[in-house]
Amino acid sequence: MYCYPFFISLQTMKRYLFFLCTALLLTGCGRQKPRHTFTHEVLLPMTPVKDQGKSELCWAYAMLATIETEHLLRGDSVNLSAVYVGRMLDEVRADKKNLNNGESKKKNQRAMGQTLLNMIGRYGVVPYDVLPDDATDDLPTPKWAFMLGARYTPQEFAHSVCAPDEYISLTCFPDSPYNRKIEVPVPDNWEHNRLLNIPIDTLLRHVNRALRNRHPVCWESRGHAMCVVGMARDENRRPYYVMKNSWGTDGPYGGLVYMSAAKMWHDMIAIYMTREAFLTAKK
């Protein structure tokens, strides 16, 4: 569902329709003027908006953006490469690819936020400036990461910015038992990750309190993922969530999306936040 102008494909149409619906409902599309005037209740600091290009790595960009904002709020600064994660994923899936009449199926990069956490735990991550969004295929995948004069393997670097089990994965499927981990039944969950299933009102309370206590969260729907960095109200006092997107800075809000609270919760499949944020929200 990721599209680019003048390139007609199924992915193009899906991404165009998603963007068009979001634009019409929330912000006004393309380069049009904003349709609403927003007042921020919460707006967390962010690293620069990135551009996933033609990749299907929104889940990686969204989860890395969440990690980056967490670090900014701790007085630290990290900017992480989703391209590196994509390359590691391509290698993993190439090893497991299915053949159809002697030809490999189309490369699939779709996954969930938990996949990002799993990937960097196994294969590490590197800084963004080492492997930026516009990195071409001939730019080699780095074997080392450097920070403040120290040299790390990608795995060591990843553990320095995201500790194992630092994040908790949450969902709400009313047909499954609450307060237990369940396998989310969506195609993007090809790893069969299990997320903690809690009632929607409890999940909403956790997200709102986490944001108000200055913790970002990663939001995932069936078609897209973004980092939630704030809460706002429009001129009619209707509630919105402020999302950091990964489609570049074009658009009326410079790469941010203002999504109505109703749409956010209607489309939600998974939410990720630090355990600290989750426990803070319990108080």
Side-chain angles (χ1 to χ4, degrees), residues 239-250:
Y240 288 74
Y241 290 92
V242 188
M243 310 282 208
K244 180 186 179 185
N245 205 356
S246 54
W247 294 348
T249 56
D250 288 343

Side-chain angles (χ1 to χ4, degrees), residues 35 42 96 117 165 184 192 248 266:
R35 296 182 63 234
V42 176
K96 299 179 179 180
L117 299 172
D165 298 323
V184 178
H192 307 289
H266 178 270

Side-chain angles (χ1 to χ4, degrees), residues 205-251:
R205 185 169 64 251
H206 275 282
V207 167
N208 289 352
R209 288 184 180 175
L211 290 167
R212 291 193 174 107
N213 282 281
R214 299 186 65 75
H215 290 282
V217 302
C218 181
W219 169 89
E220 194 154 358
S221 71
R222 291 182 183 272
H224 197 43
M226 294 184 279
C227 174
V228 187
V229 293
M231 304 170 70
R233 291 186 180 270
D234 67 11
E235 64 276 6
N236 296 312
R237 300 298 297 163
R238 290 173 297 200
Y240 288 74
Y241 290 92
V242 188
M243 310 282 208
K244 180 186 179 185
N245 205 356
S246 54
W247 294 348
T249 56
D250 288 343

Side-chain angles (χ1 to χ4, degrees), residues 18 26 219 226 239-241 243 257-261 263-264:
F18 178 89
L26 311 177
W219 169 89
M226 294 184 279
Y240 288 74
Y241 290 92
M243 310 282 208
V257 169
Y258 288 79
M259 181 175 289
S260 70
K263 180 172 176 59
M264 150 115 170

Side-chain angles (χ1 to χ4, degrees), residues 79-100:
N79 200 3
L80 305 170
S81 172
V83 173
Y84 174 86
V85 176
R87 288 189 180 185
M88 296 298 102
L89 178 68
D90 290 346
E91 290 184 12
V92 170
R93 302 208 77 171
D95 290 339
K96 299 179 179 180
K97 68 182 178 182
N98 295 316
L99 297 180
N100 183 18

Side-chain angles (χ1 to χ4, degrees), residues 69-71 73-74 163-170 206 209-211 213-217 272-283:
T69 288
E70 271 289 342
H71 276 265
L73 291 165
R74 299 171 190 174
D165 298 323
E166 181 176 349
Y167 282 80
I168 187 168
S169 305
L170 306 165
H206 275 282
R209 288 184 180 175
L211 290 167
N213 282 281
R214 299 186 65 75
H215 290 282
V217 302
Y272 308 88
M273 66 178 73
T274 63
R275 291 183 180 276
E276 178 184 357
F278 183 76
L279 293 174
T280 297
K282 275 188 162 184
K283 296 178 181 178

